[in-house]
Each structure stands twice: as C-alpha cells, then as structure tokens.
Amino acid sequence: MQPLIDTPLWLAHKRRALARPVGGADFLMQRAAEDLADRLGAVERKFARAATLFCQTPAAADVLAESGKVTEIVRVEADPAFLAGLQGLVAPLEAVPFEPESLDLVVSLLSLQAMNDIPGMLVQIRRSLRPDGLFLGAFAGAGTLSELRESLLAAETELYGGASPRVIPFTDVRDAGALLQRAGLALPVADVETVTVRYDTLFDLVADLRAMGETSALVDRSRRPGTRRLLARAAEIYAERFSDADGRVRASFSIVWMSGWAPDASQQKPLKPGSAKVSLKTILENPDRR
C-alpha cells in the first residue's frame, strides 16, 4: 500500500512541538480528554487492564486513572520523548504491542488520522481485546481545516495555475463506522463533534497547528515552500470567505468518535429477519397495540 503520511516527519513535528510548548495549544487534546471522560462515565463496568495508544500526552491515561474504573493502565507511544520519563511502552506507530485477548479497554486519542493503515490498526486493536473488551477512539475527521484547505487551494491555483495538497485528507464519520465493522468489532458506533475555533488571521491558525505538531506530513506534499506571497494571498481569501462580523476567522475541527466491543456471546444481537411476532402493518392498523 502506498503510504499517504510520512510517519517520520509526523513524529518529527510532534517532537518539535513537545520541545517548544505553547500554552493553550493542546486545546483539542484537552477537549478530547474531557469527551473521553464523559463517554467512559456512561459505561457501567470496570476494566482490569487498559492501554492508551499513541496519544502523545498523558491526558488519556489521566482520564482512565481518575475514572476509578481501570485497575492497570499501560501507555504506548511511538517515541520515548512522549513518555517524558514516565512508565510506558515504546512501539512503532501503527503497531499494537500486546498479546491477543490481553486487554479489556483500548483508547486512542488524535493519532489515527496520521496512520496509513487505519483498518489494519483497528484489526490489531480488536485482536488485543478480551471478549467484551471496549475500544474508544477519537481522530480528526472530514471537515477538519476545510477553510484552510480551500483558501490555500484557491491562492495557489490563482498564483501558480495549479495546486498541490497541503492539508491531509480526513476520514468521514460514515466510513469510520464501516471500518469498525470491517475490523470485526461488535456494536459499532461512530459520531462526530465539530469544534469551531476563531483566530485573528490565518497566520495565528498556522502557528497553533505548528505548536500542535500538526503541520503537513503528506508524502506527496508540495516541495515548494509556502512563500510569503502565497500565504498572504491565502490569508486574504480566508478573511474574505470565512470571517465573522468582527473580522476574526473561523477554523473547523471535526472530531470523529468511534466505539466498538470485542465480540462476546453475552452481547445483544439483532433479531433475525422474519422473526418478529407482530408485523408493522398490524401495529399501524391497531393503535391500541402500540
């Protein structure tokens, strides 16, 4: 499979961001961690052993610890720098370093969008889960940075007569649900939450993306540097198309959430077609039976 993401470059961007922290630039991770706490809180059970996969910060592990629902938590990161001296495992991105059926809960926050083989990653996660084990994951999905993508495309086409990809493609929420089923996870659920952030200019957005370590890591990215002329024109187009009445511009981040369970005989299953004892027609024609 032809890789889409330059993994070493993505990791280099993440290490650079870690080495030069900017206050508040982790707002998406903090939002994802808060959502994780809410979603885990709705699950009425406890987990003996959990793993957080390539979350880049301790935020996800902290949520699991604070929930009181997890006995053992193992952090897995793609670089020792992300562990910051804390205990955990280091493994190649897109590798799940656990024996089959050895985990009760797996969590992934904001890294799946940087993986070249998401279906393969989900299959590995399912294999690592014990029967009736839970997977909870969040990643940047379709619609993320749509304003930036459009503005850069328009500016580059106008100035150079053509354009190269500068923002990675993102997975749609409908595809996410299908990927869960393809991986063999039961009771799959996928939903999306859109976070809209406002900036003074495109340049402030780009500064935040750099501080997150989320600048372009496409294999087929343009090797032509983003010139001042290109960025200035893109900023003008951005302001023309995506500004509010006060002149500030909007940036969209679509966070796709996925959940699925390792199959188990105890789980609810849909009824077989034709097994209903009362037809829909009968119910509609006899209101008293509703």
Side-chain angles (χ1 to χ4, degrees), residues 19-36:
R20 305 171 187 173
V22 175
D26 63 345
F27 65 90
L28 280 182
M29 181 60 75
Q30 292 304 317
R31 172 65 178 267
E34 292 170 6
D35 288 347
L36 172 63

Side-chain angles (χ1 to χ4, degrees), residues 106-122:
V106 172
V107 171
S108 172
L109 296 187
L110 302 185
S111 63
L112 282 170
Q113 75 276 356
M115 297 188 184
N116 286 299
D117 186 9
I118 297 176
M121 185 66 179
L122 293 177

Side-chain angles (χ1 to χ4, degrees), residues 157-176:
T157 301
E158 176 185 312
L159 295 177
Y160 303 116
S164 302
R166 293 182 180 272
V167 178
I168 67 171
F170 296 101
T171 302
D172 183 87
V173 64
R174 291 169 294 184
D175 294 330

Side-chain angles (χ1 to χ4, degrees), residues 10-197:
W10 184 79
L11 289 171
H13 289 169
K14 289 293 182 179
R15 286 192 296 268
R16 181 182 65 187
L18 182 66
R20 305 171 187 173
V22 175
D26 63 345
F27 65 90
L28 280 182
M29 181 60 75
Q30 292 304 317
R31 172 65 178 267
E34 292 170 6
D35 288 347
L36 172 63
D38 291 341
R39 290 166 187 267
L40 189 60
V43 179
E44 296 296 329
R45 61 169 291 183
K46 293 191 175 182
F47 304 91
R49 191 175 189 228
T52 62
L53 299 180
F54 311 113
C55 298
Q56 310 141 56
T57 80
D62 290 346
V63 168
L64 300 191
E66 292 166 6
S67 73
K69 293 185 174 184
V70 184
T71 303
E72 179 188 357
I73 304 164
V74 182
R75 280 186 63 193
V76 180
E77 298 293 354
D79 191 288
F82 303 141
L83 291 170
L86 299 177
Q87 190 172 11
L89 300 177
V90 177
L93 193 70
E94 303 191 41
V96 178
F98 295 98
E99 294 294 321
E101 298 188 8
S102 62
L103 299 171
D104 302 286
L105 172 65
V106 172
V107 171
S108 172
L109 296 187
L110 302 185
S111 63
L112 282 170
Q113 75 276 356
M115 297 188 184
N116 286 299
D117 186 9
I118 297 176
M121 185 66 179
L122 293 177
V123 167
Q124 291 183 74
I125 288 171
R126 180 189 61 75
R127 288 175 179 166
S128 73
L129 287 169
R130 295 187 178 109
D132 208 31
L134 174 62
F135 166 62
L136 287 172
F139 64 92
T144 296
L145 299 177
S146 56
E147 303 91 349
L148 179 61
R149 184 196 306 274
E150 181 178 326
S151 299
L152 287 171
L153 177 63
E156 195 165 15
T157 301
E158 176 185 312
L159 295 177
Y160 303 116
S164 302
R166 293 182 180 272
V167 178
I168 67 171
F170 296 101
T171 302
D172 183 87
V173 64
R174 291 169 294 184
D175 294 330
L179 288 172
L180 289 168
Q181 291 181 312
R182 177 178 170 183
L185 288 160
L187 309 175
V189 176
D191 61 89
V192 62
E193 296 185 4
T194 298
V195 179
T196 302
V197 185

